[in-house]
Amino acid sequence: MESAGRAQAARDRVPRIDPYGFERPEDFDYAAYEEFFSTYLAILTRRAIKWSRLLKGGAGVQKSVTHMNRTFPDNVRFRKGSDPCLQRTLYNVLLAYGHHNRGVGYCQGMNFLAGYLILVTRSEEESFWLLDALVGRILPDYYSPSMLGLKTDQEVLGELVRTKLPAVAALMDSHGLLWTLVVSRWFICLFVDVLPVETVLRIWDCLFNEGSKIIFRVALTLIKEHQALILEATSVPDICEKFKDITRGSFVTECHTFMRKIFSEPGSLSRASIARLRERCRARLLAQG
């Protein structure tokens, strides 16, 4: 009864809407979240001070149109009745980018990227240029009509799993399951609506700083941490469900610990090795037509 009372008290203190406007699910663990955030708040403060100093100093960071109504339906700031409603802002950014990069135009998934950028920056112009950095520079060919870059990187992940987690690769092979079936949303939405918002924003910090290699680190960490659970699967639907399960729970919610894990769990991932894998996988895809 005492623990139930504490949980209810936590629910009373923590709002149903998170700071980014997303509604929390009915089974949201408020007590666990409050415990996590009480320690994470200090980390957020330190990081905010660090970013502020970097931006004020002008120094670089050292390395150590369509689907509007379906974009974030669980976010109150994108609903038609909200004031202001961010649907118009999202439309403006995507329309402007379509004119700016006619080779890409608009591709499914870009609305989630732009939407997140708008929620964070609250600026159409800043969101536009950050979207341009993602689509035009960091993730080339992810959102082109052929999506060759996206398809290539999904194949690269399969090769990395084959090397680093052969039992999982063998399970996928035994069922004839393509990686695109279980991780396409991870890649095309850059983990938006897959992982908790705080975790996604931390991943994106690294994405803008270190480039697309970070996507493989996140994916490999999720799979390695839950390898035993995945290997329990006995059918294709079961495997797909397991890959949904591994994106939930305290492991991904406690984003600071998670971000430390992604730089240790996957082991070495050199740029040169990723480049070689991409070249090989791209050639294979082109040969397949």
Side-chain angles (χ1 to χ4, degrees):
M1 290 295 292
E2 183 181 355
S3 60
R6 286 200 300 268
Q8 183 60 52
R11 285 193 291 272
D12 293 340
R13 288 195 298 272
V14 184
R16 280 291 313 277
I17 307 298
D18 75 13
Y20 303 94
F22 292 99
E23 287 186 342
R24 294 188 166 110
E26 293 291 338
D27 59 350
F28 186 80
D29 192 337
Y30 290 91
Y33 182 81
E34 186 177 70
E35 182 179 354
F36 149 70
F37 207 81
S38 64
T39 57
Y40 186 55
L41 191 59
I43 296 169
L44 275 179
T45 303
R46 291 198 301 270
R47 289 176 59 80
I49 293 170
K50 183 179 180 181
W51 278 109
S52 179
R53 287 172 179 168
L54 284 168
L55 293 173
K56 286 180 180 178
V61 179
Q62 298 298 313
K63 291 186 179 181
S64 28
V65 231
T66 315
H67 311 317
M68 292 300 109
N69 292 330
R70 291 191 289 169
T71 303
F72 304 132
D74 59 341
N75 191 299
V76 295
R77 295 171 192 169
F78 283 93
R79 292 177 184 165
K80 286 185 177 179
S82 60
D83 185 23
C85 176
L86 294 182
Q87 282 190 22
R88 171 52 60 178
T89 303
L90 179 60
Y91 175 83
N92 291 342
V93 171
L94 292 173
L95 182 64
Y97 193 75
H99 288 291
H100 171 72
N101 189 344
R102 294 185 182 274
V104 172
Y106 173 77
C107 173
Q108 185 179 3
M110 286 172 57
N111 55 325
F112 290 99
L113 307 189
Y116 249 46
L117 293 171
I118 289 166
L119 285 170
V120 173
T121 66
R122 308 295 177 89
S123 163
E124 287 187 13
E125 184 175 358
E126 288 181 22
S127 298
F128 171 87
W129 289 115
L130 288 170
L131 183 65
D132 186 45
L134 280 174
V135 175
R137 177 172 55 85
I138 298 173
L139 301 168
D141 289 338
Y142 260 50
Y143 305 96
S144 64
S146 68
M147 290 185 156
L148 183 58
L150 176 72
K151 295 173 184 175
T152 297
D153 278 2
Q154 289 174 163
E155 292 294 310
V156 169
L157 176 62
E159 294 296 320
L160 290 170
V161 172
R162 194 174 305 281
T163 301
K164 296 176 178 291
L165 300 163
V168 175
L171 176 69
M172 297 285 286
D173 290 343
S174 69
H175 290 278
L177 188 57
L178 299 176
W179 280 100
T180 185
L181 190 60
V182 293
V183 300
S184 59
R185 189 169 182 81
W186 296 8
F187 283 74
I188 198 169
C189 294
L190 302 180
F191 300 101
V192 171
D193 264 12
V194 174
L195 297 177
V197 59
E198 290 95 348
T199 306
V200 174
L201 293 176
R202 290 291 298 273
I203 292 168
W204 282 24
D205 278 348
C206 295
L207 183 63
F208 279 106
N209 184 37
E210 300 198 4
S212 57
K213 186 174 71 170
I214 201 71
I215 299 173
F216 300 119
R217 288 198 168 277
V218 174
L220 287 170
T221 300
L222 286 170
I223 296 168
K224 183 176 181 180
E225 181 72 17
H226 302 92
Q227 180 175 200
L229 176 68
I230 294 169
L231 293 177
E232 291 176 1
T234 57
S235 65
V236 169
D238 198 12
I239 295 172
C240 293
E241 192 60 35
K242 291 289 192 291
F243 270 84
K244 288 181 182 178
D245 291 342
I246 68 177
T247 62
R248 305 165 183 153
S250 61
F251 180 68
V252 294
T253 300
E254 296 173 4
C255 57
H256 195 56
T257 302
F258 180 79
M259 294 306 292
R260 288 178 175 174
K261 287 267 190 180
I262 71 171
F263 288 102
S264 60
E265 290 294 316
S268 175
L269 282 181
S270 70
R271 292 182 185 275
S273 65
I274 294 297
R276 285 194 298 269
L277 281 172
R278 278 175 166 157
E279 184 178 350
R280 191 165 75 216
C281 291
R282 181 181 292 255
R284 188 167 67 217
L285 287 168
L286 289 172
Q288 293 171 354

